[in-house]
Amino acid sequence: MRKSHFLVVAALASLTSGAFAHSGHEASMPFISGFLHPMMGFDHLIAMFAVGLWGARLGGKAIFAAPFAFVATMIIGFSLAIAGMSIPYIEQGIIASVIFLGLVLAFSARLPLVFSSGLVAVFAFFHGAAHGMELPADAHATGFAMGFAAASIFFHLIGVAFNKAIEPLNQKIVSRMTGSLIALSGVFLAIGA
């Protein structure tokens, strides 16, 4: 992805509504509604991007394991929420994910694969639960879940592509700066909560 393309995506993401604002989807098209749902909240977008970037920075199997852990556990959180399970601290978990993922990028943390994927999975659970709680009343849950899973993969890939795009630069420094901005955005989300 060229730098100019990333900047366009980042600018569009900044125009989305703030954290916690994910309503008004068209329930008659569950896949499209599910795909667009994560894009209605900066918190979801930035976390998915950060997972892809962190996986790419870790390299090896992590480039697939971290995003897979995120999507798989997000589906579990979604399923439990639509089944009626009461899940506390959803918004706090989402904000914590943004701050944590930003910090691991800012400090170039190189955690073992199982541990890093496990942490990503814990945070993804809260993202999935939020999607489940915001499922439009008359939407088909499977189509909606397939949509937000596809959107998550898409934004993980943007994170991976960003890592590739910054290769000509000093990847470590750019990744650290990006992580710092992500963590700072999480702090601002927390303050605004």
Side-chain angles (χ1 to χ4, degrees):
M1 175 177 263
R2 290 163 51 188
K3 185 177 179 181
S4 61
H5 290 133
F6 176 76
L7 293 175
V8 170
V9 171
L12 290 173
S14 70
L15 296 175
T16 62
S17 32
F20 324 118
H22 307 289
S23 60
H25 300 296
E26 180 57 54
S28 64
M29 298 185 299
F31 179 84
I32 299 297
S33 179
F35 188 85
L36 294 175
H37 181 76
M39 297 179 201
M40 299 298 169
F42 183 71
D43 49 352
H44 292 299
L45 287 178
I46 202 71
M48 292 181 291
F49 168 81
V51 168
L53 178 57
W54 190 32
R57 297 298 302 141
L58 291 173
K61 293 179 183 177
I63 199 167
F64 301 107
F68 176 80
F70 189 95
V71 174
T73 311
M74 189 174 54
I75 297 290
I76 293 169
F78 172 79
S79 300
L80 292 174
I82 64 171
M85 181 177 180
S86 176
I87 301 167
Y89 306 113
I90 291 174
E91 294 300 342
Q92 292 87 346
I94 291 170
I95 291 172
S97 73
V98 174
I99 295 170
F100 173 81
L101 290 164
L103 289 175
V104 296
L105 287 166
F107 290 104
S108 294
R110 301 204 57 84
L111 304 174
L113 180 63
V114 172
F115 190 63
S116 58
S117 296
L119 286 171
V120 165
V122 168
F123 290 128
F125 180 82
F126 293 106
H127 286 266
H131 293 325
M133 293 183 68
E134 296 157 354
L135 175 70
D138 55 349
H140 189 270
T142 303
F144 188 80
M146 289 172 60
F148 72 70
S152 298
I153 292 166
F154 176 72
F155 279 95
H156 293 326
L157 291 174
I158 288 176
V160 172
F162 178 77
N163 186 62
K164 184 72 173 165
I166 62 174
E167 261 182 11
L169 309 171
N170 185 326
Q171 279 181 311
K172 190 172 187 178
I173 290 175
V174 174
S175 178
R176 284 182 172 210
M177 289 175 18
T178 303
S180 298
L181 290 173
I182 291 169
L184 190 58
S185 71
V187 171
F188 283 130
L189 288 171
I191 291 169

